[in-house]
């Protein structure tokens, strides 16, 4: 039997990402975000939702740019740390040992250790309540070659061991269950029948 649950606890799990921002190395920062996702294919667009009191909020609002960096099992501790410490008080890159590297299309840095980094330009800021949503156009995506299958060119997400966030806990993603449309594909008949 299902029971009523408080409305703020919907649609879990969510990707646990590190959003990097800042126009110069002196202001580079990262914040942990779970309120993120894709909103459109053409043009490619995504969003992050951030509380206005967060240090990075003002940086993103002023620069209009950020990078969504996917996180991995090996980045889990840094991901959590960046979610509970403020860039007002700490240089998060130095404290976590993560490496800022220049992006190609935005001033905000990529995180070298992230398997995928999505460069974004803010198109609109939507005040929603506790969070404001930064609706952004994806202007570039960079993937670590270590996770690209050279034979197929496919990104091997499972090898990256991405993490997700659910109700205050982090989880590593498990095994692939199938490809899009696998539930309706016809089975091949064995030859000779």
């Amino acid at each position: 039997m299902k029971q009523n649950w408080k409305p703020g606890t919907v649609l879990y799990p969510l990707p646990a990402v590190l959003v990097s921002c800042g126009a110069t190395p002196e202001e580079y920062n990262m914040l942990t975000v779970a309120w993120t996702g894709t909103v459109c294919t053409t043009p490619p667009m995504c969003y992050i939702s951030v509380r206005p009191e967060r240090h990075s909020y003002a940086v993103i609002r002023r620069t209009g740019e950020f990078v969504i960096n996917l996180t991995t099992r090996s980045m889990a501790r840094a991901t959590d740390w960046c979610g509970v410490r403020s860039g007002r008080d700490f240089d998060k890159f130095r404290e976590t040992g993560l490496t800022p590297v220049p992006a190609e299309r935005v001033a905000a840095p990529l995180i070298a250790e992230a398997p995928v980094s999505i460069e974004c330009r803010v198109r609109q800021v939507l005040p929603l309540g506790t969070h404001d949503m930064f609706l952004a156009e994806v202007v570039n995506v960079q993937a670590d070659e270590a996770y690209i299958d050279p034979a197929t060119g496919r990104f091997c997400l499972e090898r990256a061991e991405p993490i997700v966030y659910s109700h205050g806990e982090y989880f590593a993603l498990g095994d692939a269950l199938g490809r899009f449309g696998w539930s309706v594909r016809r089975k091949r008949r064995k030859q000779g029948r």
Side-chain angles (χ1 to χ4, degrees):
M1 183 168 153
K2 293 184 181 181
Q3 65 180 14
N4 287 331
W5 215 17
K6 56 185 177 175
T9 57
V10 295
L11 292 180
Y12 281 108
L14 298 161
V17 301
L18 282 171
V19 173
S20 49
C21 61
T24 64
E26 297 77 35
E27 74 171 352
Y28 284 173
N29 195 38
M30 300 177 281
L31 74 154
T32 303
V33 171
W35 303 118
T36 185
T38 301
V39 294
C40 187
T41 304
T42 306
M45 295 182 71
C46 58
Y47 79 95
I48 59 170
S49 289
V50 180
R51 290 178 180 269
E53 62 269 17
R54 298 285 300 262
H55 176 67
S56 295
Y57 176 93
V59 175
I60 295 169
R61 184 95 193 208
R62 188 187 81 252
T63 64
E65 298 178 337
F66 60 88
V67 179
I68 297 172
N69 300 276
L70 297 188
T71 57
T72 64
R73 181 186 292 268
S74 64
M75 295 171 68
R77 187 171 194 82
T79 301
D80 181 63
W81 194 90
C82 287
V84 296
R85 296 290 186 236
S86 174
R88 286 182 187 92
D89 306 319
F90 296 94
D91 176 335
K92 291 184 180 181
F93 281 101
R94 186 177 63 236
E95 295 289 333
T96 62
L98 295 176
T99 312
V101 294
E104 288 185 10
R105 304 276 309 275
V106 298
L110 309 178
I111 299 172
E113 294 78 5
V116 175
S117 298
I118 305 164
E119 300 176 42
C120 302
R121 282 206 183 99
V122 176
R123 276 217 175 154
Q124 188 175 4
V125 181
L126 301 168
L128 301 174
T130 58
H131 292 68
D132 285 0
M133 182 173 75
F134 290 91
L135 184 61
E137 184 172 356
V138 174
V139 296
N140 195 40
V141 178
Q142 295 193 44
D144 188 329
E145 292 176 354
Y147 303 107
I148 305 292
D149 181 328
T152 64
R154 174 176 119 23
F155 181 78
C156 301
L157 184 65
E158 68 282 0
R159 286 198 338 233
E161 298 184 300
I163 60 173
V164 295
Y165 178 83
S166 182
H167 302 287
E169 296 181 280
Y170 299 94
F171 295 89
L173 290 181
D175 299 327
L177 302 176
R179 293 182 180 266
F180 179 75
W182 66 276
S183 64
V184 296
R185 286 201 177 103
R186 293 184 186 179
K187 294 181 182 178
R188 293 184 183 188
R189 292 185 183 180
K190 291 184 179 178
Q191 296 222 347
R193 285 194 162 183

